[in-house]
Every structure is written in C-alpha cells, then in structure tokens.
Amino acid sequence: MSAVLRAVLVAVSVTFFGGVLPSLPPVQRPPAPIAATASALVWPPPPEPARIRFVRALDPASARRKPSVFSRLVRLIVGDRDEPRMVQPYGIAVAPDGRVYVADTYGRTIHVYDLARSSYSAIPVDGDSLIGVAVAGGQVFVTDSASGRLLCLDGKGRERWTRGRETGFLRPTGLVAAGDRLYVVDTILNRVVIVGLAGQIMGSFGERGDGPGQFNFPTNIARAADGRIFVSDTMNFRVQVFDPDGRFLRSFGRAGDSTGDFDKAKGIAIDSAGHVYVVEGLHDVVQIFDEAGRLLLAFGGSGAGEGQLWLPTGIAIADDRIYVADSANRRLQVFEYLRATP
C-alpha cells in the first residue's frame, strides 16, 4: 500500500469515527480512468428498464464557464492564481434555489455550485474537519468535527454563531435542516441533537447501545418529505428511522460484505418516491432500499471513471438529481433517478 493511500485511509478513520476505532482494512487503489460504455452509465444495465442514469462529474474547474478573452488576457498579464479544487468532499446540501453546497473536510472550504448559471464560488471556513452542511433561513450551517463545533454562517461566509463543547457537542458530524430546526449527529456521544436556527438547543435523542433508538457511532442523517428522520447507525450496521421528535419507528440493515449488507454505511438520502439511498463507503457503491428495507438496486462501483466511486461519503437528492461525494477522487458525481413511466 502506498504512503499516500495509507494516509488517506487513516484520515478517513479519524474523521468519520473520531479516532476511536482501529484503522480501516486495506483498500486497493482504483484503476486508472477508463472510457465508460453506454450500458455502464445506467443502472440496471439493458435490457432492464433504467432507473439510475449518470449525468456528470463535477469539480470547481468543470463547473465554471469558459473564461472570456479579457479574463484570459488579465491572467496572462498578472499571472494565474491557484485554481480552486476539492480536497476531500463530504457533506452535501442543496438549497431551495438549486445551488449545491459541499463541505470539504480538509479543504477548510464550502464549495458552492450554481449549475443553472454555470458558476462556482467558495466560502472559506475556519475549521479543521468539515463534515456536515445544511442550508436554511438564508444561512449556511456546517459541522467542524475535530473541534466539536456547529457553525452558522451568513451567505457570504461570515460567522453568526457557534455552538461547541460548552453546549454539549463532542464530535458533530452529519447534519440536516428541517424547517425551523437542525438535526445534528454527534458520533462519539451516540445521539442526535436538535438545534434551532438561532442556535438554541431544543432537545436530543439516542444513547450508546444496539437496541431500538440506540446508536453505535452514527455518522449521517437525512430527512424525508413527511418529516421522518433517517440515521446511518454505522457501527450497528443499520439505518434507523424516527419521527420528527426523535421517537423510534423502525430500523433495517445487517452487517456483511454482500449486496444489500452494510459494512461502512455513510451518507443517506431519500428520493421523491421515498426510496432510501445509503452510501457504502468501503465498497464504492450506493445502495437503494424501499420503505421496508428491501434492496432494490446498487449503482457506482470502484474506479476513477465516469459513474465510478472511490471512498464515497456524503449524498444529497433534490428534484431526483443525486449528488454523491466521491471523496478520494476529489469530485462530486451527479446521477438522476428515472421514475417509472405508466
């Protein structure tokens, strides 16, 4: 194993689980980029009806319009600035206006993609381990896991308030907005904290264990259209479902390395049909389940080509566009859920 890959894996272990678990098992570096065939860009492959379609890969360079002649002339005169790039994308949030916000774990940045205008911008963040991101009430929220903080920023990145260890946070990670509140996963404390948009602590639920409503190093969280909360209970190898007040409803999942099992469940999201998408970080796929927890489909696969993933983490879905943080490939991968036609 190369020194670079070993460093990445150690960073993944420390960031996701607070350094309290042993190092992850060896993972082989994906093959060099390959030209994807048409059948490889939809899942399931023909002749079955396609349900997931690859759309594009996304990074700062690809999101921006081609520079004008004047811009190129200015660069020629004053010299090129360092081009922005994603270091290790993780959390993803889609704002009501369609802009996509991406927390860069070690890049100290929230990347903002406005795909409708082919524009890109960056919000610098004073943090060492950015994991979750959410947008609500014209504000941007981000968790800095290493420092144990939840930060609230205005649209220009200016800090409005911070909540940290003095308010009970230890290792905040996953984050989702829901109306007038935020749901924040605290991985080490094995609970979900409910926080108002002004920073007030409104309650919490969960504790260490493997029973209903208990957690073992949860990492990520999502909200369905009806308000239900879905949590990746990572080291219990399951997904747990709660009502908006944190009352346990049900769970599904089991440990294993076969299709439909969980090994290192990461990001979680819900599409317009109520399907549950769970990123399987070590196997480089996204698994899709129905309401009852039955596996419907998996897409992705290890590699660096179009539609392939390497140590994926976060996921978000808006208007049936699926955004996956392809962390070790330093990009987002964009897919589309294709609804069945009558």
Side-chain angles (χ1 to χ4, degrees):
M1 181 186 296
S2 70
V4 173
L5 180 54
R6 183 176 298 277
V8 169
L9 292 175
V10 170
V12 168
S13 177
V14 171
T15 300
F16 296 173
F17 303 114
V20 298
L21 297 180
S23 299
L24 300 178
V27 177
Q28 296 298 316
R29 184 179 179 89
I34 59 173
T37 64
S39 63
L41 300 182
V42 295
W43 294 263
E48 296 295 323
R51 290 292 176 261
I52 300 295
R53 178 177 69 91
F54 172 76
V55 176
R56 64 179 293 187
L58 185 62
D59 60 21
S62 67
R64 294 177 297 177
R65 291 191 182 97
K66 184 178 179 181
S68 65
V69 173
F70 177 75
S71 297
R72 292 198 295 270
L73 179 60
V74 170
R75 289 184 182 180
L76 182 63
I77 295 172
V78 303
D80 286 336
R81 295 177 297 175
D82 290 337
E83 289 294 323
R85 64 189 182 101
M86 291 193 290
V87 178
Q88 187 175 313
Y90 194 121
I92 308 169
V94 183
D97 63 5
R99 286 184 292 178
V100 181
Y101 292 73
V102 184
D104 193 331
T105 301
Y106 295 122
R108 294 174 169 253
T109 301
I110 297 174
H111 305 275
V112 185
Y113 298 92
D114 189 339
L115 300 182
R117 295 177 175 82
S118 298
S119 68
Y120 164 84
S121 59
I123 302 174
V125 179
D126 181 16
D128 296 321
S129 179
L130 309 183
I131 300 293
V133 64
V135 181
Q139 303 173 115
V140 181
F141 304 88
V142 62
T143 55
D144 180 13
S145 182
S147 69
R149 296 184 300 155
L150 169 66
L151 292 82
C152 173
L153 313 173
D154 66 15
K156 295 183 179 180
R158 293 173 296 206
E159 188 174 309
R160 288 190 168 178
W161 54 258
T162 301
R163 298 294 179 266
R165 301 188 192 279
E166 74 284 353
T167 54
F169 284 116
L170 186 58
R171 186 73 67 167
T173 50
L175 171 65
V176 69
D180 64 346
R181 62 183 61 183
L182 306 166
Y183 293 86
V184 186
V185 176
D186 195 311
T187 297
I188 298 299
L189 294 180
N190 294 288
R191 68 184 183 186
V192 175
V193 182
I194 305 173
V195 184
L197 299 188
Q200 68 275 28
I201 305 298
M202 302 172 65
S204 65
F205 58 92
E207 61 183 2
R208 182 71 181 273
D210 58 7
Q214 297 178 323
F215 297 117
N216 189 19
F217 299 104
T219 54
N220 295 275
I221 191 166
R223 177 179 178 269
D226 62 5
R228 287 176 301 156
I229 301 300
F230 292 71
V231 181
S232 294
D233 189 6
T234 300
M235 296 311 295
N236 276 328
F237 309 101
R238 65 185 180 184
V239 169
Q240 294 205 69
V241 187
F242 301 85
D243 74 8
D245 295 319
R247 287 185 286 266
F248 173 81
L249 299 176
R250 62 185 177 85
S251 66
F252 67 86
R254 64 185 183 188
D257 57 6
S258 298
T259 303
D261 296 339
F262 293 139
D263 189 338
K264 292 294 183 296
K266 297 289 191 296
I268 186 167
I270 318 298
D271 70 17
S272 63
H275 303 133
V276 183
Y277 293 60
V278 183
V279 175
E280 181 51 59
L282 281 186
H283 298 293
D284 302 321
V285 296
V286 178
Q287 301 191 108
I288 308 175
F289 300 86
D290 67 9
E291 286 275 343
R294 292 184 293 259
L295 179 71
L296 301 176
L297 184 65
F299 65 92
S302 300
E306 292 184 336
Q308 297 177 325
L309 305 167
W310 185 25
L311 295 177
T313 50
I315 185 172
I317 301 176
D319 298 324
D320 288 332
R321 282 292 171 99
I322 306 158
Y323 303 88
V324 181
D326 189 7
S327 288
N329 282 323
R330 299 183 177 183
R331 64 187 179 184
L332 294 189
Q333 295 266 45
V334 186
F335 304 85
E336 183 179 13
Y337 166 56
L338 305 174
R339 296 182 66 92
T341 55

